[in-house]
Amino acid sequence: MKELEQLYPTLRRSQMGSSGDSRYRIIEGTLKDTGFYNFLFDGSRLVVLLNPDHPFYRELYKPLADGDSSRDQQLRARLELLLLAAARSELVSSSRISSMLLNKHRAEWSNTLATFLNG
């Protein structure tokens, strides 16, 4: 998390404020693999990192995030809730399933998603 805070200063606790929404954050940044997302948890904050190089980000998430319509913003918000739920589910499952297996599943899911989107 320290490395991520250096790259994204808004993640620093003093800059996130004291509101309840600071427990969950979604940011974009290059991942070390081809996955659509990864996440970090420091015991109190769950940060989902989205890969802007992934086709799902380019073709769906980014257009929604940049969209001006209220419909685009509603869809983006629901998509973000889906991503937060997926990351949180992985986090909870990590107490029963190895992190390596969860990472492999996420990578396979991301690659399959990219394949479907690329036709």
Side-chain angles (χ1 to χ4, degrees):
M1 191 68 82
K2 294 284 187 205
E3 182 180 325
L4 206 55
E5 286 176 345
Q6 289 176 351
L7 293 171
Y8 303 94
T10 58
L11 289 177
R12 294 187 187 131
R13 287 188 188 278
S14 61
Q15 295 182 5
M16 288 181 67
S18 59
S19 64
D21 63 345
S22 64
R23 290 182 35 205
Y24 301 99
R25 291 293 300 268
I26 296 178
I27 59 175
E28 56 187 70
T30 304
L31 300 182
K32 296 177 183 174
D33 57 30
T34 60
F36 172 49
Y37 75 94
N38 204 340
F39 69 91
L40 294 160
F41 182 68
D42 70 356
S44 63
R45 295 179 297 169
L46 179 64
V47 178
V48 174
L49 183 64
L50 300 181
N51 182 358
D53 296 326
H54 193 276
F56 191 87
Y57 181 92
R58 289 191 315 265
E59 294 179 26
L60 282 116
Y61 182 82
K62 184 69 170 159
L64 290 174
D66 291 344
D68 292 332
S69 74
S70 62
R71 178 78 173 146
D72 286 349
Q73 294 308 306
Q74 289 173 353
L75 288 172
R76 180 195 49 80
R78 284 179 169 73
L79 179 58
E80 288 178 348
L81 291 174
L82 177 122
L83 293 167
L84 288 167
R88 187 168 169 178
S89 176
E90 282 188 54
L91 181 63
V92 170
S93 296
S94 66
S95 65
R96 298 181 314 271
I97 302 171
S98 77
S99 292
M100 186 174 74
L101 185 60
L102 288 169
N103 289 340
K104 182 178 178 185
H105 174 74
R106 186 180 337 106
E108 288 176 9
W109 176 84
S110 293
N111 290 336
T112 302
L113 177 60
T115 299
F116 285 162
L117 289 171
N118 289 331

